[in-house]
Amino acid sequence: MDRPPRQIHLAAHFPGVNNTTVWSDPRAGSHIEFSSFAHFARTAERARFDFLFLAEGLRLREQNGLIHDLDVVGRPDTFTVLAALAAVTDHLGLAGTINSTFNEPYEVARQFASLDHLSGGRAAWNVVTSWDAFTGENFRRGGFLPQEQRYERARSFLHTTWELFDSWRGDEIVADRRSGVFLGDARAGTFAHRDAHFDIAGRFTVPRGPQGRPVIFQAGDSDAGREFAASSADAIFSQHGTLAAGRAFYADVKARLHRHGRTPEQLLVLPATTFALADTDEEAHERAHEIRLRQVSGQTAIRFLEQLWNRDLSGYDPDGPLPEIDPVPGENLVARGRASVRMYRDPLATAKEWRERAAAKRLSIRELVIEVTGRQTFVGSPATVARAMDEFVRAEAGDGFILIPHLTPGGLDEFADTVVPLLQERGVFRTEYTGPTLRDHLGLAVPEPAVRTAG
């Protein structure tokens, strides 16, 4: 008997501040007005996507002391946006990135528990850490945590919030009008947690939500990040969009689960994905090239190169050759608040490799940056893209995709109108939602509340 095809999970990333946004396009709208968020969310919901995802940054990125040009407007508060979106959607999951380094468990747990109630069980939390003192300057505590302590605090933070969520079992409110009894357990919400990072005790103010706990996402690609996801997350974001890299990442992360008493079905792998569509494959590849040219302007190319060279290169022609001078290694970076600078562990070796590639292909600075930075993951006609996505999931390179269009807010519309129907025809994507909560969409069980120990 043939096995049913693997179902594809789809999510949408609102492309507010990242290297895919083409804010200069005449069709681009606001990155902060609510109408943009509402349009994007409604498109994702009519296409029956699992969830919408918002990234968050606690400080605007800087380069040479100026705001980076792709931080085009700022970063509105995640909880405020998601709570507003809960009122204009009915089924779409609402996932937000919230930092575990510069927040407190009680506050974050209260906000997510509230969002889960307001949305009818659609809240999700992408747990991230901060690595730099630059971001820490925005906070009273300041500073930052060393690499080896970031995930230690994150694990403690997450498990502390779980204790808060589980301080309510879900059956305490009886609200018996005849007897006058409202609360059936006088200890509801009591908690006490003490470890190296947190020393808190009291009562949690929000009763247990429809999902018990929000769905947990994690986005780290380091060994520590993968292990954190395997131990605690419901889904992990991946940057591995090619089939070979995706299969290797998928196998690695899934293999880690058994050490934590978990099964492969309890952790979804969702690579971040870009796309370029057209009537024919040839036209789509031309469009993809045009998009890349707009994503990497001459100014953007120079700023990208500065992140590796760690010096001011504003005097260089983006249509000219790479600098003959070498990068400046060290921790004093010209690009502040950008995680990408950490990718270049050996700037001198990377610069040598780029020079060799540029010389062999006769590439200018801009052409090289376009080549070494991300490309559209799926390029082709809607039929070609639908087939490629199906094959990617069947090959166990991922469980689905988080789509990042290059336009806000209408960049998702074309995919929803052309590719999604073809995936539905293939029988690999839902035609209707089958449950009200995000856990229903993702096929995840509601966690049982832990045994309460606080007195």
Side-chain angles (χ1 to χ4, degrees), residues 379-397:
V379 178
S381 68
T384 295
V385 170
R387 181 174 61 252
M389 286 186 158
D390 187 11
E391 291 172 351
F392 193 95
V393 172
R394 287 176 186 265
E396 296 189 341

Side-chain angles (χ1 to χ4, degrees), residues 351-368:
K352 181 176 182 293
E353 176 191 336
W354 286 4
R355 285 197 186 105
E356 291 172 352
R357 182 183 300 193
K361 297 185 177 183
R362 298 183 179 180
L363 302 176
S364 67
I365 290 175
R366 186 183 182 199
E367 290 169 335
L368 175 77

Side-chain angles (χ1 to χ4, degrees), residues 25 105 141 160 165 169 180-181 197 286 348 370 375 396:
D25 192 294
R141 180 162 56 85
T160 303
F165 296 133
R169 296 187 309 274
V181 175
H197 295 277
E286 292 175 359
L348 295 174
I370 288 174
R375 301 174 179 83
E396 296 189 341

Side-chain angles (χ1 to χ4, degrees), residues 3-53:
R3 296 176 58 185
R6 295 189 71 210
Q7 295 298 294
I8 295 174
H9 294 282
L10 292 178
H13 182 299
F14 185 88
V17 279
N18 53 61
N19 60 5
T20 68
T21 304
V22 182
W23 58 265
S24 58
D25 192 294
R27 296 168 296 171
S30 172
H31 291 77
I32 196 168
E33 292 177 3
F34 182 65
S35 59
S36 288
F37 291 103
H39 178 112
F40 195 78
R42 286 171 173 145
T43 300
E45 183 161 87
R46 70 176 172 81
R48 307 298 189 263
F49 277 32
D50 292 25
F51 62 91
L52 173 147
F53 169 65

